[in-house]
Amino acid sequence: MTEALLVVDGLRHVYQTEEGEHVVLDGLSLTVNRGEFVSIVGPSGCGKTTLLRALSGLLKPTSGTVSLAGEAINGVPKGLAMVFQDYRGSLFPWRKVGANVEFPLLGRVGAEERRNRVRESLEAVGLENFAGRYPWQLSGGMQQRVAIARAIAMRPQLMLMDEPFASVDAQTRSDLEDLVLRVRELYDMTILFVTHDVDESVYLSDRVLSLSKSPTVLTADTAVPLPVPRDQIRSRENPVFVSTRSEIAQLIRRAKPAGLYGPGEAIPTTSNFAVPVLR
Amino acid sequence: MVMTVEQKAPETSSQQPRTGALTKAGAGKRTKGRTALFGALGTLGFLVLWEIVVVFGLLPRNNLPGASETLIRSVGLLADPVFLGHVGSTVAVSFLGLGIAFVIAVPLGLLLGISNAAFALASTVVELLRPLPPIAFVPLAVLIAGQGTEMKAAIVALGCVWPLLTNVIHGVHETDSVAKSTGRSFGWSRSTVIRRVVWPSAVPALITGVRITVSISLILCVGAEYIGGSTQGLGSWLLQQSMQPQGMQAVTAGVVIAGVLGVLVNAIVAGLDRRYAAWARRGEK
Amino acid sequence: MRRMKLTSPGVRAALGWAVAVVLILAWQLAAVTGESLFFPPPTEILAAGYQLWFSAGLENGVLTDAFHVDVVPSLERLVIGVLIAVAVGVSLGVLLGRVRVVAQFVEPLLHFMRALPGPVLLPMALVLLGTGNEMRIALITFGAIWPVLFNTYSAVRQVPESYLDTATVSRRTSASTLFRVILPSASAGIFAGIRTATGLGIILLVASELVASSDGIGFGLMQSQRSFQFLEMWAFIVALSILGYITTLLLSALERLFLRWHHLYKAVVA
């Protein structure tokens, strides 16, 4: 039941700058189980993007290990899809919508299978009639749906989403949130979702991981005991939603860089649900 | 008919760290120093290679002078009044031609950019004249204007007028319509809006045009010197030298100086661009 | 009302062509009445050109022997010279754009080569490479390569990092990333370079055919001028102009084929 899919152990990343070393990730460990929806929240500049780049193999961390389904990651692993925040930058303007969705499958999957997967993925995000358009002819929300369809088409074990809805308007955003939940249900997918929006993380997730400011460590691991299926109105009115959200919000507001916690000082976790993470 | 604009891809310098955002802050100086060092090493390597190729006679025809010989001769040429006179002639004629093209293209470009009617009337003619290779008209220009400055300047002007014209029109067409409305909301007259909004907006495109045309002007001037049988100018001097026995050393040294001249001219125009068009390039990396 | 009419593309095109036709008619009229030696009437120029190059008759394939002497060699030189420039320029541009260290070593040299006005190399090429076809093609290639190389280099460096990340996360091979991401993304810049290169190629073609040659448009142009055959000279000018048009049209057609998305995209994004 709780099979660990993604295991991150002691992840540390240091950028070399003119002024010396800049520690972004300072020994971060976390686990995502198969079938789980886990969100990562943290104050801005806390190294969320660095973490996700390390997980997706785009960046080689200074030390620590990442493994997916028991295999250590070195480079971009099989079975991983990523949805970027910047949909404009991740969809190729010279490829039509269908061809963009098809892109990761080229040379790997037969033509027939490719066609089927493209159609199916576009149907899953409700864009089956837009395969022949160029992505830039669509609205921002629709473009992000194309990016999600492309991720689905890869049939990934793990889908990484890097603040995917940060640049769309509020209404589109809640539509996309429900779309992601639906897709997850449909394909039984494991999702690691990075956001700076606490409400969004609570609404979507089974578990929310909070990060400290840079140098970043994990400060809390909060379960979200909200009933499923979630609903934009009712779930957000649920007292559990309200209390969980305020717990996490406080954690983030008080978050300080890892080095500033004294040796005996407890990392703040006042939540009923939050489990303190020991360093 | 749609006007396509000849545009130069934005210049890129080599010092842009592309790693994480964090490395950008401090690494600039170090990268710059390394770029300069590597560039110097690369150039030195090329000169050494050139010298080796010549000394060991690795070329099929062994008549290329070595790098050291050539550079020494180049320095010598810089003190040679005859040579400098020819270079001066080429530079002067190029700029005269460019100036003529400028005086024609800027007012005409503003007119065609601002007035829809004028644009509709003239755009087909412009599109028909623009692809004509200016070099084809050298013999005609020789018949009309002789083999001297007038002929060469006319050819240079003919080649430079189109890039300038299309860039000015493009610049006017690209003027921010909000800026124009803002101007009108101040109660400015049409001519004031043109002077204060349209013209400044068109300047960066005009400078882009100048950046393209300075190289074209030198190329056309030297080309016209050969084809027109001119006796003045860098091209004529090179051709004369190449016909003399042992003239190759002078020719190679002259080519080196021509390249340095080109680099200097480009640097001056790039400086103009930074001074007057920086605001329009803000979006470019 | 007048403004509305002017914005209709059909009306504009008709108006534009009407102006062009009026100008040519005016030239014809002025030439017929003025009898200037240097400006023969357009009809006579066309007749002379036809006589020179296209009067072999249908049974002999229309083109005359003179066509094969005057025009064909030039076409060959231009096409081969520019194609080599494009192939080498794009390859080197991609290499330099992707491998920063190499770019750092050669950048000053490349700036020098690009700033060098192409025609100054003619005397050197004559001495080093002789008077054969290779010299002319080499000169065209050397002049045309820099705009292609620099535009490719610059465009490849401006390929958004996010495109490359997307390719990496999609586990593309480097060849696939090159042909499916980097080259398409840089294609607009590369095309701009090829346009400039073709223009320079024509200048260098004519310059290279001046010295020690016995065929080609440049040679014919000079011969007719020196022997005061003004009609013939004009026919050569028209031939070069047509060469200019053909290359422009050809490049536009290629651009429409490969860069249709780019023009539409620019219109939407801007």
Side-chain angles (χ1 to χ4, degrees), chain B residues 10 14 18 35 38 61 63 119 124 128 132 143 226-227 255 259, chain C residues 12 16 100 104 116 119 123 127-128 154 157 210 222 230 241 245:
Chain B
S14 55
R18 289 200 121 183
T35 304
F38 282 10
R61 293 168 175 231
N63 44 14
F119 185 76
T124 307
L128 285 175
L132 302 185
L143 291 176
Y226 294 145
I227 302 168
V255 166
Chain C
R12 295 182 72 118
R100 285 268 326 277
Q104 284 177 325
L116 197 64
V127 180
L128 284 179
S154 169
R157 292 195 43 173
L210 284 174
M222 290 312 296
F230 297 134
S241 306
Y245 285 126

PDB file of all heavy atoms in Angstrom, chain B residues 10 14 18 35 38 61 63 119 124 128 132 143 226-227 255 259, chain C residues 12 16 100 104 116 119 123 127-128 154 157 210 222 230 241 245:
ATOM      1  N   PRO B  10      20.195  40.774 -32.867  1.00  0.00           N
ATOM      2  CA  PRO B  10      20.860  41.571 -31.833  1.00  0.00           C
ATOM      3  C   PRO B  10      22.254  41.040 -31.528  1.00  0.00           C
ATOM      4  O   PRO B  10      22.484  39.842 -31.484  1.00  0.00           O
ATOM      5  CB  PRO B  10      19.947  41.415 -30.623  1.00  0.00           C
ATOM      6  CG  PRO B  10      18.969  40.375 -30.955  1.00  0.00           C
ATOM      7  CD  PRO B  10      18.941  40.238 -32.444  1.00  0.00           C
ATOM      8  N   SER B  14      29.803  37.687 -25.255  1.00  0.00           N
ATOM      9  CA  SER B  14      29.932  36.308 -24.838  1.00  0.00           C
ATOM     10  C   SER B  14      29.845  36.135 -23.331  1.00  0.00           C
ATOM     11  O   SER B  14      29.947  35.039 -22.831  1.00  0.00           O
ATOM     12  CB  SER B  14      31.251  35.750 -25.349  1.00  0.00           C
ATOM     13  OG  SER B  14      32.282  36.589 -24.892  1.00  0.00           O
ATOM     14  N   ARG B  18      25.031  31.191 -18.079  1.00  0.00           N
ATOM     15  CA  ARG B  18      23.718  30.626 -18.322  1.00  0.00           C
ATOM     16  C   ARG B  18      23.332  29.628 -17.240  1.00  0.00           C
ATOM     17  O   ARG B  18      22.357  28.924 -17.361  1.00  0.00           O
ATOM     18  CB  ARG B  18      23.685  29.946 -19.686  1.00  0.00           C
ATOM     19  CG  ARG B  18      23.725  30.934 -20.817  1.00  0.00           C
ATOM     20  CD  ARG B  18      23.209  30.279 -22.034  1.00  0.00           C
ATOM     21  NE  ARG B  18      22.068  31.001 -22.535  1.00  0.00           N
ATOM     22  CZ  ARG B  18      21.378  30.604 -23.578  1.00  0.00           C
ATOM     23  NH1 ARG B  18      21.668  29.501 -24.185  1.00  0.00           N
ATOM     24  NH2 ARG B  18      20.345  31.291 -24.002  1.00  0.00           N
ATOM     25  N   THR B  35      37.108  35.432 -20.929  1.00  0.00           N
ATOM     26  CA  THR B  35      36.800  35.596 -22.349  1.00  0.00           C
ATOM     27  C   THR B  35      37.919  36.328 -23.067  1.00  0.00           C
ATOM     28  O   THR B  35      38.356  35.926 -24.140  1.00  0.00           O
ATOM     29  CB  THR B  35      35.485  36.377 -22.521  1.00  0.00           C
ATOM     30  OG1 THR B  35      34.472  35.690 -21.808  1.00  0.00           O
ATOM     31  CG2 THR B  35      35.097  36.485 -23.982  1.00  0.00           C
ATOM     32  N   PHE B  38      41.019  34.000 -23.286  1.00  0.00           N
ATOM     33  CA  PHE B  38      40.825  32.943 -24.285  1.00  0.00           C
ATOM     34  C   PHE B  38      40.854  33.521 -25.692  1.00  0.00           C
ATOM     35  O   PHE B  38      41.434  32.933 -26.609  1.00  0.00           O
ATOM     36  CB  PHE B  38      39.493  32.208 -24.052  1.00  0.00           C
ATOM     37  CG  PHE B  38      39.537  31.222 -22.931  1.00  0.00           C
ATOM     38  CD1 PHE B  38      40.620  31.171 -22.068  1.00  0.00           C
ATOM     39  CD2 PHE B  38      38.488  30.324 -22.731  1.00  0.00           C
ATOM     40  CE1 PHE B  38      40.669  30.263 -21.025  1.00  0.00           C
ATOM     41  CE2 PHE B  38      38.534  29.406 -21.688  1.00  0.00           C
ATOM     42  CZ  PHE B  38      39.616  29.385 -20.834  1.00  0.00           C
ATOM     43  N   ARG B  61      50.262  26.731 -53.256  1.00  0.00           N
ATOM     44  CA  ARG B  61      51.083  27.763 -53.890  1.00  0.00           C
ATOM     45  C   ARG B  61      51.778  28.510 -52.779  1.00  0.00           C
ATOM     46  O   ARG B  61      51.131  29.094 -51.927  1.00  0.00           O
ATOM     47  CB  ARG B  61      50.208  28.760 -54.655  1.00  0.00           C
ATOM     48  CG  ARG B  61      49.519  28.157 -55.845  1.00  0.00           C
ATOM     49  CD  ARG B  61      48.494  29.142 -56.323  1.00  0.00           C
ATOM     50  NE  ARG B  61      47.890  28.645 -57.556  1.00  0.00           N
ATOM     51  CZ  ARG B  61      47.796  29.386 -58.647  1.00  0.00           C
ATOM     52  NH1 ARG B  61      48.234  30.623 -58.657  1.00  0.00           N
ATOM     53  NH2 ARG B  61      47.229  28.889 -59.727  1.00  0.00           N
ATOM     54  N   ASN B  63      52.979  31.311 -51.866  1.00  0.00           N
ATOM     55  CA  ASN B  63      53.217  32.731 -52.031  1.00  0.00           C
ATOM     56  C   ASN B  63      52.508  33.596 -50.999  1.00  0.00           C
ATOM     57  O   ASN B  63      52.365  34.789 -51.161  1.00  0.00           O
ATOM     58  CB  ASN B  63      52.851  33.189 -53.441  1.00  0.00           C
ATOM     59  CG  ASN B  63      51.549  32.586 -53.880  1.00  0.00           C
ATOM     60  OD1 ASN B  63      50.809  32.055 -53.055  1.00  0.00           O
ATOM     61  ND2 ASN B  63      51.252  32.663 -55.158  1.00  0.00           N
ATOM     62  N   PHE B 119       2.278  55.272 -48.572  1.00  0.00           N
ATOM     63  CA  PHE B 119       2.816  53.919 -48.482  1.00  0.00           C
ATOM     64  C   PHE B 119       2.181  53.018 -49.538  1.00  0.00           C
ATOM     65  O   PHE B 119       2.868  52.252 -50.217  1.00  0.00           O
ATOM     66  CB  PHE B 119       2.564  53.352 -47.074  1.00  0.00           C
ATOM     67  CG  PHE B 119       3.186  52.008 -46.844  1.00  0.00           C
ATOM     68  CD1 PHE B 119       4.546  51.901 -46.618  1.00  0.00           C
ATOM     69  CD2 PHE B 119       2.413  50.860 -46.860  1.00  0.00           C
ATOM     70  CE1 PHE B 119       5.133  50.659 -46.407  1.00  0.00           C
ATOM     71  CE2 PHE B 119       2.995  49.613 -46.651  1.00  0.00           C
ATOM     72  CZ  PHE B 119       4.353  49.520 -46.427  1.00  0.00           C
ATOM     73  N   THR B 124       4.991  49.163 -53.705  1.00  0.00           N
ATOM     74  CA  THR B 124       5.313  48.217 -54.776  1.00  0.00           C
ATOM     75  C   THR B 124       6.588  48.626 -55.500  1.00  0.00           C
ATOM     76  O   THR B 124       7.461  47.802 -55.774  1.00  0.00           O
ATOM     77  CB  THR B 124       4.149  48.137 -55.783  1.00  0.00           C
ATOM     78  OG1 THR B 124       2.958  47.865 -55.054  1.00  0.00           O
ATOM     79  CG2 THR B 124       4.385  47.035 -56.794  1.00  0.00           C
ATOM     80  N   LEU B 128      10.026  46.593 -55.767  1.00  0.00           N
ATOM     81  CA  LEU B 128      10.594  46.220 -57.064  1.00  0.00           C
ATOM     82  C   LEU B 128      12.037  46.694 -57.199  1.00  0.00           C
ATOM     83  O   LEU B 128      12.857  46.043 -57.834  1.00  0.00           O
ATOM     84  CB  LEU B 128       9.762  46.809 -58.204  1.00  0.00           C
ATOM     85  CG  LEU B 128       8.422  46.116 -58.462  1.00  0.00           C
ATOM     86  CD1 LEU B 128       7.634  46.869 -59.524  1.00  0.00           C
ATOM     87  CD2 LEU B 128       8.636  44.671 -58.900  1.00  0.00           C
ATOM     88  N   LEU B 132      17.287  44.905 -56.513  1.00  0.00           N
ATOM     89  CA  LEU B 132      18.263  45.121 -57.581  1.00  0.00           C
ATOM     90  C   LEU B 132      19.664  45.193 -56.982  1.00  0.00           C
ATOM     91  O   LEU B 132      19.910  45.967 -56.063  1.00  0.00           O
ATOM     92  CB  LEU B 132      17.973  46.440 -58.304  1.00  0.00           C
ATOM     93  CG  LEU B 132      16.590  46.568 -58.920  1.00  0.00           C
ATOM     94  CD1 LEU B 132      16.502  47.873 -59.714  1.00  0.00           C
ATOM     95  CD2 LEU B 132      16.285  45.383 -59.828  1.00  0.00           C
ATOM     96  N   LEU B 143      29.515  55.508 -66.985  1.00  0.00           N
ATOM     97  CA  LEU B 143      29.204  56.265 -68.200  1.00  0.00           C
ATOM     98  C   LEU B 143      28.696  57.651 -67.854  1.00  0.00           C
ATOM     99  O   LEU B 143      29.028  58.639 -68.510  1.00  0.00           O
ATOM    100  CB  LEU B 143      28.143  55.525 -69.027  1.00  0.00           C
ATOM    101  CG  LEU B 143      28.601  54.216 -69.665  1.00  0.00           C
ATOM    102  CD1 LEU B 143      27.440  53.548 -70.372  1.00  0.00           C
ATOM    103  CD2 LEU B 143      29.736  54.485 -70.661  1.00  0.00           C
ATOM    104  N   TYR B 226      36.875  48.421 -57.940  1.00  0.00           N
ATOM    105  CA  TYR B 226      37.335  47.418 -58.912  1.00  0.00           C
ATOM    106  C   TYR B 226      36.580  47.534 -60.215  1.00  0.00           C
ATOM    107  O   TYR B 226      37.147  47.637 -61.295  1.00  0.00           O
ATOM    108  CB  TYR B 226      37.067  45.993 -58.413  1.00  0.00           C
ATOM    109  CG  TYR B 226      37.824  45.550 -57.202  1.00  0.00           C
ATOM    110  CD1 TYR B 226      37.208  44.699 -56.281  1.00  0.00           C
ATOM    111  CD2 TYR B 226      39.137  45.930 -56.986  1.00  0.00           C
ATOM    112  CE1 TYR B 226      37.880  44.244 -55.168  1.00  0.00           C
ATOM    113  CE2 TYR B 226      39.811  45.480 -55.875  1.00  0.00           C
ATOM    114  CZ  TYR B 226      39.184  44.637 -54.968  1.00  0.00           C
ATOM    115  OH  TYR B 226      39.846  44.199 -53.881  1.00  0.00           O
ATOM    116  N   ILE B 227      35.256  47.426 -60.081  1.00  0.00           N
ATOM    117  CA  ILE B 227      34.433  47.283 -61.278  1.00  0.00           C
ATOM    118  C   ILE B 227      34.449  48.550 -62.104  1.00  0.00           C
ATOM    119  O   ILE B 227      34.435  48.528 -63.326  1.00  0.00           O
ATOM    120  CB  ILE B 227      32.998  46.868 -60.882  1.00  0.00           C
ATOM    121  CG1 ILE B 227      33.070  45.553 -60.100  1.00  0.00           C
ATOM    122  CG2 ILE B 227      32.113  46.700 -62.102  1.00  0.00           C
ATOM    123  CD1 ILE B 227      31.789  45.178 -59.418  1.00  0.00           C
ATOM    124  N   VAL B 255      45.030  43.889 -46.400  1.00  0.00           N
ATOM    125  CA  VAL B 255      43.797  43.198 -46.016  1.00  0.00           C
ATOM    126  C   VAL B 255      43.634  43.225 -44.493  1.00  0.00           C
ATOM    127  O   VAL B 255      42.545  43.461 -43.969  1.00  0.00           O
ATOM    128  CB  VAL B 255      43.801  41.749 -46.549  1.00  0.00           C
ATOM    129  CG1 VAL B 255      42.711  40.923 -45.887  1.00  0.00           C
ATOM    130  CG2 VAL B 255      43.609  41.746 -48.058  1.00  0.00           C
ATOM    131  N   GLY B 259      40.539  44.878 -42.386  1.00  0.00           N
ATOM    132  CA  GLY B 259      39.757  44.220 -41.339  1.00  0.00           C
ATOM    133  C   GLY B 259      39.705  45.057 -40.077  1.00  0.00           C
ATOM    134  O   GLY B 259      38.651  45.231 -39.468  1.00  0.00           O
TER     135      GLY B 259
ATOM    136  N   ARG C  12      -4.769  48.229 -52.453  1.00  0.00           N
ATOM    137  CA  ARG C  12      -3.390  48.697 -52.263  1.00  0.00           C
ATOM    138  C   ARG C  12      -2.464  48.116 -53.321  1.00  0.00           C
ATOM    139  O   ARG C  12      -1.652  48.830 -53.909  1.00  0.00           O
ATOM    140  CB  ARG C  12      -2.877  48.278 -50.889  1.00  0.00           C
ATOM    141  CG  ARG C  12      -3.597  48.912 -49.748  1.00  0.00           C
ATOM    142  CD  ARG C  12      -2.970  48.446 -48.465  1.00  0.00           C
ATOM    143  NE  ARG C  12      -1.683  49.067 -48.319  1.00  0.00           N
ATOM    144  CZ  ARG C  12      -1.378  49.879 -47.322  1.00  0.00           C
ATOM    145  NH1 ARG C  12      -2.274  50.113 -46.385  1.00  0.00           N
ATOM    146  NH2 ARG C  12      -0.205  50.427 -47.240  1.00  0.00           N
ATOM    147  N   GLY C  16      -0.388  50.150 -56.066  1.00  0.00           N
ATOM    148  CA  GLY C  16       1.069  50.046 -56.093  1.00  0.00           C
ATOM    149  C   GLY C  16       1.574  49.653 -57.462  1.00  0.00           C
ATOM    150  O   GLY C  16       2.504  50.269 -57.998  1.00  0.00           O
ATOM    151  N   ARG C 100      30.569  26.980 -25.511  1.00  0.00           N
ATOM    152  CA  ARG C 100      31.015  28.327 -25.169  1.00  0.00           C
ATOM    153  C   ARG C 100      32.532  28.473 -25.250  1.00  0.00           C
ATOM    154  O   ARG C 100      33.048  29.505 -25.668  1.00  0.00           O
ATOM    155  CB  ARG C 100      30.550  28.669 -23.754  1.00  0.00           C
ATOM    156  CG  ARG C 100      29.100  28.987 -23.667  1.00  0.00           C
ATOM    157  CD  ARG C 100      28.801  30.473 -23.823  1.00  0.00           C
ATOM    158  NE  ARG C 100      29.819  31.349 -23.270  1.00  0.00           N
ATOM    159  CZ  ARG C 100      29.907  31.690 -22.010  1.00  0.00           C
ATOM    160  NH1 ARG C 100      29.049  31.238 -21.139  1.00  0.00           N
ATOM    161  NH2 ARG C 100      30.851  32.498 -21.601  1.00  0.00           N
ATOM    162  N   GLN C 104      34.734  31.325 -27.127  1.00  0.00           N
ATOM    163  CA  GLN C 104      35.613  32.294 -26.464  1.00  0.00           C
ATOM    164  C   GLN C 104      36.968  32.385 -27.161  1.00  0.00           C
ATOM    165  O   GLN C 104      37.548  33.450 -27.262  1.00  0.00           O
ATOM    166  CB  GLN C 104      35.791  31.911 -24.996  1.00  0.00           C
ATOM    167  CG  GLN C 104      34.575  32.245 -24.156  1.00  0.00           C
ATOM    168  CD  GLN C 104      34.735  31.806 -22.721  1.00  0.00           C
ATOM    169  OE1 GLN C 104      35.348  30.782 -22.439  1.00  0.00           O
ATOM    170  NE2 GLN C 104      34.183  32.575 -21.811  1.00  0.00           N
ATOM    171  N   LEU C 116      35.818  42.434 -42.165  1.00  0.00           N
ATOM    172  CA  LEU C 116      36.615  42.576 -43.374  1.00  0.00           C
ATOM    173  C   LEU C 116      35.685  42.730 -44.580  1.00  0.00           C
ATOM    174  O   LEU C 116      34.886  41.848 -44.844  1.00  0.00           O
ATOM    175  CB  LEU C 116      37.448  41.303 -43.533  1.00  0.00           C
ATOM    176  CG  LEU C 116      38.633  41.289 -44.460  1.00  0.00           C
ATOM    177  CD1 LEU C 116      39.687  42.254 -43.960  1.00  0.00           C
ATOM    178  CD2 LEU C 116      39.199  39.887 -44.507  1.00  0.00           C
ATOM    179  N   PRO C 119      35.099  42.211 -50.720  1.00  0.00           N
ATOM    180  CA  PRO C 119      35.817  42.425 -51.973  1.00  0.00           C
ATOM    181  C   PRO C 119      37.317  42.690 -51.816  1.00  0.00           C
ATOM    182  O   PRO C 119      38.074  42.454 -52.750  1.00  0.00           O
ATOM    183  CB  PRO C 119      35.117  43.646 -52.573  1.00  0.00           C
ATOM    184  CG  PRO C 119      33.758  43.632 -51.974  1.00  0.00           C
ATOM    185  CD  PRO C 119      33.924  43.083 -50.599  1.00  0.00           C
ATOM    186  N   PRO C 123      42.121  40.563 -54.706  1.00  0.00           N
ATOM    187  CA  PRO C 123      43.511  40.454 -55.180  1.00  0.00           C
ATOM    188  C   PRO C 123      44.250  39.295 -54.524  1.00  0.00           C
ATOM    189  O   PRO C 123      45.007  38.568 -55.186  1.00  0.00           O
ATOM    190  CB  PRO C 123      44.127  41.798 -54.759  1.00  0.00           C
ATOM    191  CG  PRO C 123      42.987  42.726 -54.584  1.00  0.00           C
ATOM    192  CD  PRO C 123      41.845  41.884 -54.124  1.00  0.00           C
ATOM    193  N   VAL C 127      45.969  35.821 -56.301  1.00  0.00           N
ATOM    194  CA  VAL C 127      47.345  35.360 -56.180  1.00  0.00           C
ATOM    195  C   VAL C 127      47.396  33.963 -55.549  1.00  0.00           C
ATOM    196  O   VAL C 127      48.150  33.097 -55.982  1.00  0.00           O
ATOM    197  CB  VAL C 127      48.180  36.357 -55.353  1.00  0.00           C
ATOM    198  CG1 VAL C 127      49.615  35.867 -55.227  1.00  0.00           C
ATOM    199  CG2 VAL C 127      48.135  37.732 -56.002  1.00  0.00           C
ATOM    200  N   LEU C 128      46.567  33.747 -54.521  1.00  0.00           N
ATOM    201  CA  LEU C 128      46.637  32.475 -53.795  1.00  0.00           C
ATOM    202  C   LEU C 128      45.951  31.333 -54.529  1.00  0.00           C
ATOM    203  O   LEU C 128      46.409  30.199 -54.504  1.00  0.00           O
ATOM    204  CB  LEU C 128      46.006  32.622 -52.411  1.00  0.00           C
ATOM    205  CG  LEU C 128      46.825  33.346 -51.347  1.00  0.00           C
ATOM    206  CD1 LEU C 128      46.040  33.407 -50.053  1.00  0.00           C
ATOM    207  CD2 LEU C 128      48.156  32.646 -51.132  1.00  0.00           C
ATOM    208  N   SER C 154      24.287  33.750 -32.927  1.00  0.00           N
ATOM    209  CA  SER C 154      23.480  34.588 -32.054  1.00  0.00           C
ATOM    210  C   SER C 154      22.118  33.945 -31.783  1.00  0.00           C
ATOM    211  O   SER C 154      21.648  33.920 -30.648  1.00  0.00           O
ATOM    212  CB  SER C 154      23.336  35.943 -32.734  1.00  0.00           C
ATOM    213  OG  SER C 154      22.392  36.716 -32.109  1.00  0.00           O
ATOM    214  N   ARG C 157      22.368  30.956 -29.428  1.00  0.00           N
ATOM    215  CA  ARG C 157      22.558  31.345 -28.032  1.00  0.00           C
ATOM    216  C   ARG C 157      21.291  31.896 -27.419  1.00  0.00           C
ATOM    217  O   ARG C 157      21.142  31.933 -26.208  1.00  0.00           O
ATOM    218  CB  ARG C 157      23.668  32.381 -27.937  1.00  0.00           C
ATOM    219  CG  ARG C 157      24.994  31.770 -28.278  1.00  0.00           C
ATOM    220  CD  ARG C 157      26.103  32.624 -27.874  1.00  0.00           C
ATOM    221  NE  ARG C 157      25.852  33.175 -26.554  1.00  0.00           N
ATOM    222  CZ  ARG C 157      26.746  33.879 -25.892  1.00  0.00           C
ATOM    223  NH1 ARG C 157      27.905  34.110 -26.435  1.00  0.00           N
ATOM    224  NH2 ARG C 157      26.471  34.363 -24.708  1.00  0.00           N
ATOM    225  N   LEU C 210      35.313  40.005 -62.832  1.00  0.00           N
ATOM    226  CA  LEU C 210      35.924  41.113 -63.542  1.00  0.00           C
ATOM    227  C   LEU C 210      37.320  40.796 -64.020  1.00  0.00           C
ATOM    228  O   LEU C 210      37.767  41.247 -65.059  1.00  0.00           O
ATOM    229  CB  LEU C 210      36.028  42.304 -62.600  1.00  0.00           C
ATOM    230  CG  LEU C 210      34.719  42.978 -62.392  1.00  0.00           C
ATOM    231  CD1 LEU C 210      34.874  44.040 -61.342  1.00  0.00           C
ATOM    232  CD2 LEU C 210      34.288  43.589 -63.703  1.00  0.00           C
ATOM    233  N   MET C 222      30.818  44.135 -68.142  1.00  0.00           N
ATOM    234  CA  MET C 222      31.969  45.007 -68.382  1.00  0.00           C
ATOM    235  C   MET C 222      32.298  45.079 -69.871  1.00  0.00           C
ATOM    236  O   MET C 222      32.602  46.150 -70.388  1.00  0.00           O
ATOM    237  CB  MET C 222      33.190  44.487 -67.626  1.00  0.00           C
ATOM    238  CG  MET C 222      33.101  44.641 -66.137  1.00  0.00           C
ATOM    239  SD  MET C 222      32.584  46.281 -65.635  1.00  0.00           S
ATOM    240  CE  MET C 222      33.971  47.240 -66.258  1.00  0.00           C
ATOM    241  N   PHE C 230      25.353  49.772 -75.432  1.00  0.00           N
ATOM    242  CA  PHE C 230      24.530  50.150 -74.277  1.00  0.00           C
ATOM    243  C   PHE C 230      23.301  49.268 -74.103  1.00  0.00           C
ATOM    244  O   PHE C 230      22.882  48.991 -72.990  1.00  0.00           O
ATOM    245  CB  PHE C 230      24.129  51.618 -74.374  1.00  0.00           C
ATOM    246  CG  PHE C 230      25.327  52.517 -74.325  1.00  0.00           C
ATOM    247  CD1 PHE C 230      25.466  53.566 -75.211  1.00  0.00           C
ATOM    248  CD2 PHE C 230      26.335  52.289 -73.401  1.00  0.00           C
ATOM    249  CE1 PHE C 230      26.591  54.380 -75.174  1.00  0.00           C
ATOM    250  CE2 PHE C 230      27.460  53.091 -73.356  1.00  0.00           C
ATOM    251  CZ  PHE C 230      27.583  54.145 -74.249  1.00  0.00           C
ATOM    252  N   SER C 241      19.409  42.036 -62.288  1.00  0.00           N
ATOM    253  CA  SER C 241      18.247  42.384 -61.479  1.00  0.00           C
ATOM    254  C   SER C 241      17.324  41.183 -61.328  1.00  0.00           C
ATOM    255  O   SER C 241      16.801  40.920 -60.244  1.00  0.00           O
ATOM    256  CB  SER C 241      17.475  43.534 -62.124  1.00  0.00           C
ATOM    257  OG  SER C 241      18.352  44.616 -62.352  1.00  0.00           O
ATOM    258  N   TYR C 245      15.890  39.289 -58.121  1.00  0.00           N
ATOM    259  CA  TYR C 245      14.493  38.939 -57.831  1.00  0.00           C
ATOM    260  C   TYR C 245      14.338  37.464 -57.535  1.00  0.00           C
ATOM    261  O   TYR C 245      13.650  37.068 -56.600  1.00  0.00           O
ATOM    262  CB  TYR C 245      13.584  39.260 -59.014  1.00  0.00           C
ATOM    263  CG  TYR C 245      13.291  40.711 -59.176  1.00  0.00           C
ATOM    264  CD1 TYR C 245      13.524  41.369 -60.361  1.00  0.00           C
ATOM    265  CD2 TYR C 245      12.777  41.432 -58.101  1.00  0.00           C
ATOM    266  CE1 TYR C 245      13.275  42.712 -60.494  1.00  0.00           C
ATOM    267  CE2 TYR C 245      12.524  42.780 -58.226  1.00  0.00           C
ATOM    268  CZ  TYR C 245      12.776  43.405 -59.423  1.00  0.00           C
ATOM    269  OH  TYR C 245      12.532  44.733 -59.544  1.00  0.00           O
TER     270      TYR C 245
END
